[in-house]
Amino acid sequence: RIRIRRSGARCVHQAVSGRMAQDRQRKNTTAFAAEKTKWRKVSMMYEKYESPLSSRYASEEMLHLFSQEKRIRVWRKLWTALARAEHDLGLPITAEQVAELEAHIDDIDFECAAQREKEVRHDVMAHVYAYGKAAPGAAGVIHLGATSCYVTDNGDLILYRDGLRYLRGELLGVLKNLAAFAEKYKSLPTLGYTHYQPAQLVTVGKRATLWMQDFLSDLEELDHVLAHMKFLGCRGTTGTEASFLDLFDGDTDKIDQMNRQISAEFGFEHCFDVCGQTYPRKVDSRILNCLSSMAQSAYRMANDIRLLQHDRQLEEPFEKEQIGSSAMAYKRNPMRSERICSLARYLILDAANAPMTASVQWLERTLDDSANRRISMPEGFLCADAILRLCKNVTRGLVVNEKIIDKAVREYLPFIATENLMMEAVKRGGDRQELHEVIRRCSHAASAKMKEGEPCDLLHQLAAEPAFSMNEEDLTALLKPEDYIGRCPEQVDTFLRKVRPVLEGIPEESADIAL
């Protein structure tokens, strides 16, 4: 009996242990499956192409501006504004229907719209359907009298306008950084270059004003584009407003009033005087040209910084833990300036899309613009945003190596000062023509020695020439770099006085941008 009881206990124990093991196995299998699903989802995130402008370079603000959520929300605001204007002007749309549309602007069912678009092959009508599902009491009046371009084109104009305004703030940030830099270094002599060959002295600050002047011209162009942006309004399939002529029983004043009301609601003062189904695609050309202009200015500045960093005179910011090269640990590559140049080339080329598209539009409407614009316009804005963010980062942390600059100045100053040295020798009784020949001969000889790796001995050679009647100490006393920078400090002051009113009220940057 004892053996039987023990045997039964072992069976029970084994049964319980077996069930526990099975439970553990099931839990482990479930946990493993959940973990596998989780990592599969993570893996899938990296299995599709993603634009580097989205994943690496552009700001969250610009990414949101051109997001699908923002775009469709703008569409719904446009549909609500149209219904409101039609209600105000006496069409059979109730205040309750307008209120219902207003209340459901933000709850967008993208899955519903996507499923509907598969069926009807029309994105605008798919979102009319989804909006009607969200606001069933107003479903029958959404898009009344409108064509698709009412929401697509007006929506784009709103996004582009807001995008330009955002870029304007970024551009002002670059100018503000450069203004502070120019002020700080307005009197610091540096070697000027023409043809990338040593020329007369300038100052570090004066050179920065050259970059600023380019960016200021971009600001002027951007402001001009913003000031002259117009709304499409609700104009019908070929721009004739025929559908509204029917809806308003021939009352053209109400049509004009409707368009004025909708335009004003979105911050536009004017509609295009005439149009086809779309707004003129030359607007896109003007906008992308403005973005391209900013890219050109950024490229010029960044390229100068790259050249100067090669000579170690100037350096872009370099983080404490930053790695310059995977193989050459000592390197400090100007990777941000290089990235500016790289992105700028892309944007300059991207801007060619708009004039090509504008030039081939047929009559009142063709659709060969759509696919191109879906890519070229948002990518142009994202790229301009990335470039200006980089420019802000670089200009905020530029490093000036004053001792290296001074060394380069001292090396070439004897050549630069030769005319002044000649004038001083003439004052002391020398013959100008004879002195000119002495300088020509000695400077060529000194240059030849420098090409052999020897230091510049031009002053030593000139002091040995009887025609100069000055010793080396006398000649050296005439080599004060600040005497050879012309009006650079004054030019910087004059320039900045004109610029400062434009830069007033720009907030300070709170933190570095990780780029």
Side-chain angles (χ1 to χ4, degrees), residues 7 14 21 60 88 135 181 214 243 306 347 379 402 451 494 499:
S7 176
Q14 288 171 357
E60 290 299 321
D88 292 345
F181 182 85
D214 286 347
S243 56
R306 291 165 65 191
L347 180 50
E379 293 281 292
E402 297 190 31
K451 291 172 185 176
T494 302
V499 175

Side-chain angles (χ1 to χ4, degrees), residues 171 210-211 214-215 217-218 221 287-304 340-341 343-349 351-352 384 387-388 391:
L171 183 55
L210 300 179
W211 304 333
D214 286 347
F215 283 119
S217 70
D218 301 330
E221 185 175 353
I287 290 171
L288 281 187
N289 184 66
C290 179
L291 304 187
S292 170
S293 184
M294 286 187 269
Q296 294 161 38
S297 301
Y299 196 118
R300 187 267 175 98
M301 178 187 74
N303 217 31
D304 282 355
I340 290 169
C341 294
L343 292 170
R345 282 201 301 274
Y346 171 81
L347 180 50
I348 291 166
L349 287 172
I387 290 167
L388 291 177
C391 287

Side-chain angles (χ1 to χ4, degrees), residues 15 28 45 92 104 161 177 186 203 254 307 310-311 406 412 428 473 493:
N28 289 340
M45 291 170 58
H104 292 280
R161 187 267 317 273
N177 291 343
K186 65 184 178 183
T203 66
K254 284 188 175 182
L307 293 171
H310 169 268
D311 298 330
D406 184 65
Y412 285 96
R428 299 187 181 204
E473 186 177 335
D493 285 337

Side-chain angles (χ1 to χ4, degrees), residues 435-454:
L435 291 165
H436 186 279
E437 175 57 25
V438 169
I439 289 173
R440 186 193 69 81
R441 175 168 43 80
C442 292
S443 61
H444 287 180
S447 295
K449 287 185 177 181
M450 291 173 71
K451 291 172 185 176
E452 296 295 328
E454 297 183 26

